[in-house]
Amino acid sequence: DTGVSQNPRHKITKRGQNVTFRCDPISEHNRLYWYRQTLGQGPEFLTYFQNEAQLEKSRLLSDRFSAERPKGSFSTLEIQRTEQGDSAMYLCASSPPSGGSTDTQYFGPGTRLTVL
Amino acid sequence: AQSVTQPDIHITVSEGASLELRCNYSYGATPYLFWYVQSPGQGLQLLLKYFSGDTLVQGIKGFEAEFKRSQSSFNLRKPSVHWSDAAEYFCAVGAGVTGGGNKLTFGTGTQLKVEL
């Protein structure tokens, strides 16, 4: 396994611009998660996919955020009209189709977003 | 809703000394508990997890944790710390989500510094 990969690793943008991040999970992992981590905090759950279906979204995920996983493989997270409060590390994790609630999530290195 | 408290924001220990990182959780059902470590520029790496059974669980890198239901705690321990253990440590509790899978709620983390 090559692990979970995320691109880009860093993104600097101006307020009001749109940004898109990509996550490639470990192959054959059907579950994919997005988390957001701000400075001095632990990661916070944003959304969850099983295959291509988005099954749960946090209230943290405002209307400006949208996530997709069109073919059940890679996923994208788009933020429209970015705000300075969106500055954070965006983490992706994947897990295999096995244990359900007991499965282990494998995290990628994250995309650090800075909104100027 | 579930929550995790890590009371120590920073801990400094000497190399070779023992380590205990505290974690308290709040969850209404049987908790699924995890400890992750995060080094700069790297993703979260799972150290160990508890689902059921033996309350003392062994993990990677010589870490162990003990689940104490009566105290709602899941403290992480290591008998002898190495300089390479310097990192940020996160405790997390998992809750099931629609369709299976596991939504993690993290604590705010404990930053470990190791003095040589």
Side-chain angles (χ1 to χ4, degrees):
Chain A
D1 287 332
T2 57
V4 178
S5 62
Q6 293 187 245
N7 288 288
R9 294 291 304 276
H10 303 273
K11 178 70 177 178
I12 299 174
T13 190
K14 293 182 179 179
R15 188 179 54 183
Q17 298 294 304
N18 299 342
V19 294
T20 300
F21 311 139
R22 176 178 170 126
C23 170
D24 287 89
I26 295 171
S27 60
E28 300 181 356
H29 279 195
N30 69 329
R31 297 193 174 102
L32 187 145
Y33 305 79
W34 285 98
Y35 291 82
R36 180 173 67 188
Q37 184 178 19
T38 53
L39 203 60
Q41 300 296 317
E44 296 173 293
F45 171 81
L46 292 179
T47 190
Y48 158 68
F49 289 84
Q50 182 170 301
N51 299 312
E52 66 276 6
Q54 187 175 20
L55 297 183
E56 187 150 338
K57 294 196 298 185
S58 164
R59 283 173 289 181
L60 293 174
L61 215 63
S62 76
D63 292 344
R64 296 185 297 105
F65 288 70
S66 62
E68 295 182 341
R69 195 181 182 198
K71 296 183 180 179
S73 57
F74 72 92
S75 175
T76 58
L77 178 67
E78 181 183 15
I79 309 175
Q80 296 182 326
R81 305 180 304 281
T82 52
E83 302 173 355
Q84 289 183 326
D86 297 331
S87 295
M89 178 78 84
Y90 290 85
L91 297 168
C92 177
S94 69
S95 64
S98 54
S101 294
T102 62
D103 64 2
T104 295
Q105 295 178 31
Y106 297 85
F107 283 81
T111 295
R112 181 168 295 283
L113 172 66
T114 301
V115 181
L116 301 177
Chain B
Q2 62 270 22
S3 66
V4 174
T5 301
Q6 293 181 249
D8 304 306
I9 298 174
H10 297 98
I11 282 185
T12 300
V13 299
S14 299
E15 189 175 37
S18 63
L19 171 71
E20 183 169 28
L21 302 182
R22 294 183 291 165
C23 171
N24 292 95
Y25 69 90
S26 174
Y27 188 60
T30 301
Y32 301 132
L33 296 162
F34 305 80
W35 274 100
Y36 281 86
V37 59
Q38 187 176 39
S39 299
Q42 299 190 15
L44 291 155
Q45 182 183 21
L46 180 70
L47 289 175
L48 48 78
K49 59 187 178 184
Y50 171 79
F51 296 143
S52 64
D54 193 347
T55 56
L56 185 64
V57 293
Q58 303 296 321
I60 62 171
K61 304 185 180 185
F63 285 93
E64 66 177 28
E66 186 171 12
F67 170 63
K68 293 185 178 180
R69 184 184 297 275
S70 62
Q71 298 177 21
S72 298
S73 69
F74 189 56
N75 294 348
L76 182 71
R77 300 194 295 246
K78 187 170 184 177
S80 178
V81 169
H82 188 263
W83 65 267
S84 61
D85 293 325
E88 190 152 26
Y89 291 79
F90 291 94
C91 181
V93 62
V97 292
T98 305
N102 198 351
K103 175 173 67 175
L104 297 177
T105 298
F106 288 85
T108 52
T110 297
Q111 185 72 46
L112 174 65
K113 180 180 176 182
V114 180
E115 290 183 333
L116 300 176

